[in-house]
Each structure stands twice: as C-alpha cells, then as structure tokens.
Amino acid sequence: MVDNLIITEQCPDPFALVIFGASGDLTHRKLIPALWNLQQQGRLPESFILLGVARRDLNDASFRRQVLDTLQDDRNARDRAAAEVFVQRLFYVQGDYADLTTYRRLRERLDTLEPQWGTDRNRCFYCAVPPQVYPDIVQPLGQTGLSCEHSAGCGWSRIIVEKPFGHDHESAQRLNALLHVVFSEHQIYRIDHYLGKETVQNILVFRLGNSMFEPLWNRRYVDHVQITSAETAGVEHRAGYYDGSGALRDMIQNHLLQVLCTIAMEPPSTFDAYSVGIEKLKVLQAIRPISIGEVDRYAVRGQYEAGEVEGQPCQGYLEEPDVARDSRTETYAALRLTLDNWRWQGVPFLLRTGKRLKTRATTVTLQFRQPPHLIFPHASGLPASTLTLHIQPDEGISLSFNGKIPGPDLCLGTVHMDFDYAETFGGRSPEAYETLLLDCLRGDATLYGSSDWVEKSWELLMPVLEAWTAPSSRRVPRYPAGSWGPREADTLLEGEWRQWLNP
Ligand SMILES: NC(=O)c1ccc[n+]([C@@H]2O[C@H](COP(=O)([O-])OP(=O)(O)OC[C@H]3O[C@@H](n4cnc5c(N)ncnc54)[C@H](OP(=O)(O)O)[C@@H]3O)[C@@H](O)[C@H]2O)c1
C-alpha cells in the first residue's frame, strides 16, 4: 500500500512551444508524444500551441497529418477523435535555420496566433536539430527579439538545448558564450534526458526523504560505487553521428557524470535548481583530474567486434554502415574516478558504458565495506552487501545482504530485497521527456544542467579524449559483441579484491 504525498502539481502558464527540427526523429518519437500525454493527463493549461519549424516542405495541414500518424502509433493515443482536436493547436513554419527571414515569419505567426490562443506571449524554443545547427538558431532568436522576456508585453522566453552540448571543452564554452549573448542563464535549459528518469530523481528522495540511508552514504560504510550503462544495441542508424563522438562523449560526459553527481552530492538545503546545481558542481570540482600521462591507469576504451547478442549474430563496429573502416572511435569506455572530499575520500567511483554488451541495463551499485570483524567461522569469503539502483529498463531498487539459511547449522547466504516501480505503483512511469518538458514549462531547471557544470564535465574528460585521439595512442582494445567489454577494463581494479558487478 502506498500513501501518496503530492509535492508539486503546479500547472504551467499558458505557452507557445516552438520546436526547431519539427520533421525529425526526436520531435516525432519523444516530444510530441510527451506533449500529448501531458495534455491527456490534464497537466497542461487550456491555452497552449505548438509551432514546428523545419526546412521540409510542409504546411499546417500536412504537419498535423504527420503528427496524427505519430500519435496513432503511440500506445496512449488510440483515441483518434481526441488526437484530431489536439492537432488543431499545431502549426508549421517552413524555412532554413540560418535564414533570418524564417525567424521574422515565425515572429509574425506568433504575433497572430498568441492573442487568438491566449498564450500570454510565453515562449519555449526547443532545439531538436543536430548540434551544428544550434548556433544558427540562437543568434536570430536574439536579432528578432524572440529571446526577450518581460518587456513590451512579452511573457517569459526559454530555450531548451539538446545533448550533445559541445564536442569538447572549448566548443561547450563557445556554445555557452553564444547562448549568453542572447539569453540569460535562467532562460537556458540544457537537457539530459537521464535526469528525467524516475530512478534518477528517486536517488535524492531515497537518500534525503529517509533518515536511514544517508548515515551510511559515505567512505565509512561504502567501499566503492559502480555506475554501469550497458546497451545491447549497436550504433544502428546513428553511425554518422556516433563515429565522430564515441562512448565517452555520448554517455559519460553527460548521463553518467550527472548520475555520479546525484549519488555523491551533499544534501542541498532546498530542492531547487540553484541549490542542487551548486552541490552537483562541487562534486565535479572534487573529482581528482586525470593527467594525460595517467590516462592508461584510470581509463579504458574498447570497440566491439563480431559476436552474438541475445542469440543473434552481430557484425563488428568496423563493418557497420557509415563507420570508417579504420575508425578508432570507442564503443566502450570505463573510468575510475576519485573524489577528494571528506565524504568520499578513498572510495573509487567506477563508471562504464558500452554498446553491444551482454545485457541492456543501467544501474548504480554501492558496495558496502565488510564488517570490521567476522565472528562466524569460515565466513571470510562472505559477499559484501550491496545497494543497487536500477535506472533502466526496469526501474527499482534492490538491497542484497547476508542472512542465515534456515536449518540447524549456521549457514550464511545472500538474500535480496527488491522494490520494483511498476509492481509497487502500477501504471506507467512518465517518459523522461514528459517530466523534463513539464519542468521547463513550469520554469523549474532543477533537472537541467548549468553552464558551469557542463564546462567542468568537459574539462575533466579532456585529457582522456586527447590521449585517445593522439596519433601515438595505443590500438583500441577489442571485445566480442555480447560480452561485458574488453578484458583491459579489469586493469582498473588490478591488485584489488574488487570486481566489476555485471547487472
Ligand atoms: N532522437 C533521439 O532520440 C535523441 C535523443 C537524445 C538527444 N537527441 C538530440 O536531439 C537533436 C535532434 O535529434 P534527431 O534525432 O531528431 O535528429 P534528426 O532527426 O537527424 O534531425 C532533426 C531535424 O533537423 C534537421 N536537420 C538534420 N540535419 C540537418 C543539417 N545538417 N542542417 C540543418 N538541419 C538539419 C532536419 O529537418 P529539416 O531538414 O526538415 O529541416 C531533421 O528532421 C540532436 O541534437 C540529438 O543529438 C536525440
């Protein structure tokens, strides 16, 4: 039985959502279904509109037809009549992102539609385009005054910038500088959809909404922390992007470092964007930098070769379409990080992610220290207790610890206590994009990344990226598809009793 205690249920102000890249995959697979679901749940105001912007030759009618088809495929949108009503709020502006006239036409369209729909000139701009297009969009939003807020009858104006936010430290700094010419920091929402996942949000509730876990959450009781994001999929249709990016940029710089910060941060005094942001930044500042000469000791990369995943044969990364035959891009990356602060001194944080691994799972495991003295005979090999937070695919939390196996002899065994989101709460968890879109529309940036955080995360990873891309760098270790990654990853734990905990 679960007692509900609703903490936030604020409805956003009326708004116009403008999506750049309205013809793309993200818009149709995530953003429009998220908006639809939010509306169906009664979480949106009466007055809102969506304007799609893209180069493709569409108009309001053909855009609406496309959206209807998208919604028809969505598991929650079988109600065609309701979907027909929903799409009447949708409009389309065709144009090139780098052309100022596109934004003039967008502005004219908004000026006409906003009074009709009563959206109070509150505007949210979503950059759902490839990252090289972001600068094309930001500047004209400034030039046409669309970024202005609370002046000349305008309401608020916000911009959501998708990941990847930069390709390295310098490009992230450049993008931040460009955004800051046009928008103030409080208007900028840097999205990382991992932060919208239920378990990631629950980490803080679990730690700070109970008094029994937080006392254990430190170097005195925790031996080490493992953060794993394993995918069974290969690069699929994203090879063009992925081959220029790799696992470190694609997963660790954003998702896994955000999860690490949520695990390792000090409790903020209040749950708001400013206080949470400061604590997360302090975690990054406490991470001991890896110098270029130390990269081989603290970082391991790998590339999958042919193998079998879930019983299906898979080709190697270098045989994938759109991948350079001599590519050195890593499809697996593992890091060992150390935090220099009072709470975590001496506790290794092990991060790893990879494609074509054995199982699809994202987990965080805190392995606790062994008891200081074992009074039970022959119990020296007793497994350490662990707490695992399951982020995907099945969201939940499990605790494993030692117990006595019933019987006249003193036999010890490991037992598990599992909390499963779906089983406990039933129904469906909201998609991450629903949570994050709603937060932005409410003006809550707690689950979004700040400029300082993004730049610091890149700065920390630069030595690793530089070492891996240096012409003199060692050959990329290989691992068979369907395995747990390259054997070299074990060197991160060499000479220790610790081992990788595979989900
Ligand atoms: N798809 C996902 O699930 C996902 C998940 C996380 C993050 N993201 C991020 O979200 C953004 C959008 O992703 P997406 O998968 O929707 O991308 P996409 O489908 O490749 O592109 C979105 C739209 O951008 C326009 N576009 C594509 N390439 C362009 C170019 N070179 N120059 C100008 N316009 C171009 C196209 O529209 P027109 O040609 O009609 O203008 C396209 O429909 C990316 O930054 C991606 O990294 C996506």
Side-chain angles (χ1 to χ4, degrees), residues 21-27 29-30 54-56 92 95 97 127-134 162-164 193 241 433:
S23 55
D25 178 69
L26 181 72
T27 302
R29 255 182 351 100
K30 299 288 181 188
R55 297 174 303 183
R56 214 151 301 178
Y92 187 80
Y97 307 104
C127 297
V129 285
Q132 68 272 23
V133 187
Y134 302 160
E162 258 298 339
K163 72 154 263 217
H193 63 267
Y241 153 75
Y433 276 99

Side-chain angles (χ1 to χ4, degrees), residues 126 158 198 335 355 491:
Y126 200 121
R158 297 171 190 149
E198 286 292 317
L335 291 184
K355 291 196 173 291
T491 59

Side-chain angles (χ1 to χ4, degrees), residues 153-433:
C154 289
W156 47 254
S157 174
R158 297 171 190 149
I159 184 164
I160 302 182
V161 187
E162 258 298 339
K163 72 154 263 217
F165 194 96
H167 186 71
D168 53 21
H169 186 217
E170 200 194 323
S171 56
Q173 281 178 316
R174 267 203 314 273
L175 182 54
N176 269 331
L178 179 74
L179 281 161
H180 285 149
V181 170
V182 177
F183 292 94
S184 302
E185 179 64 15
H186 75 270
Q187 296 175 279
I188 306 167
Y189 290 71
R190 297 170 192 80
I191 201 162
D192 181 340
H193 63 267
Y194 253 54
L195 295 183
K197 291 185 185 288
E198 286 292 317
T199 322
V200 176
Q201 293 174 68
N202 199 22
I203 295 171
L204 286 185
V205 177
F206 184 75
R207 282 182 61 188
L208 308 173
N210 302 290
S211 59
M212 61 195 179
F213 299 109
E214 193 53 24
L216 307 178
W217 215 264
N218 56 56
R219 64 189 300 276
R220 187 152 179 217
Y221 297 101
V222 177
D223 175 79
H224 73 277
V225 179
Q226 296 195 16
I227 304 176
T228 297
S229 178
E231 293 176 63
T232 49
V235 281
E236 297 177 332
H237 61 281
R238 293 173 71 222
Y241 153 75
Y242 194 88
D243 202 40
S245 173
L248 197 74
R249 286 187 169 98
D250 191 45
M251 293 296 294
I252 294 190
Q253 178 269 327
N254 35 62
H255 305 324
L256 298 203
L257 283 180
Q258 279 286 2
V259 172
L260 182 152
C261 287
T262 315
I263 293 287
M265 69 194 253
E266 291 300 319
S269 51
T270 50
F271 187 60
D272 59 56
Y274 178 74
S275 313
V276 172
I278 286 182
E279 295 307 335
K280 283 188 170 175
L281 182 62
K282 282 195 212 159
V283 175
L284 290 189
Q285 287 165 340
I287 293 178
R288 192 179 301 167
I290 300 173
S291 69
I292 235 175
E294 295 173 320
V295 166
D296 285 346
R297 234 170 101 199
Y298 295 114
V300 169
R301 61 180 164 161
Q303 205 176 60
Y304 64 81
E305 49 189 19
E308 206 173 89
V309 178
E310 293 169 336
Q312 297 297 318
C314 306
Q315 58 191 357
Y317 180 67
L318 297 182
E319 287 94 54
E320 300 273 17
D322 297 329
V323 171
R325 294 295 159 255
D326 58 350
S327 171
R328 290 156 66 87
T329 301
E330 78 284 356
T331 59
Y332 174 99
L335 291 184
R336 179 185 174 121
L337 299 175
T338 306
L339 272 63
D340 287 326
N341 62 20
W342 274 56
R343 184 185 283 264
W344 296 115
Q345 188 60 243
V347 178
F349 279 73
L350 300 159
L351 276 56
R352 65 176 167 162
T353 181
K355 291 196 173 291
R356 288 277 187 242
L357 296 183
K358 197 176 182 64
T359 312
R360 175 176 175 244
T362 300
T363 56
V364 180
T365 299
L366 283 80
Q367 180 159 316
F368 293 96
R369 290 188 186 283
Q370 289 287 11
H373 168 61
L374 275 174
I375 61 169
F376 309 109
H378 316 298
S380 58
L382 209 57
S385 306
T386 58
L387 175 72
T388 299
L389 309 161
H390 304 273
I391 295 173
Q392 65 182 21
D394 301 315
E395 298 182 308
I397 296 173
S398 53
L399 191 61
S400 71
F401 50 96
N402 297 305
K404 181 183 175 299
I405 299 171
D409 300 321
L410 185 64
C411 285
L412 274 60
T414 302
V415 291
H416 305 277
M417 267 169 57
D418 293 320
F419 153 65
D420 181 283
Y421 255 82
E423 206 176 282
T424 308
F425 294 105
R428 63 180 275 278
S429 287
E431 285 279 333
Y433 276 99

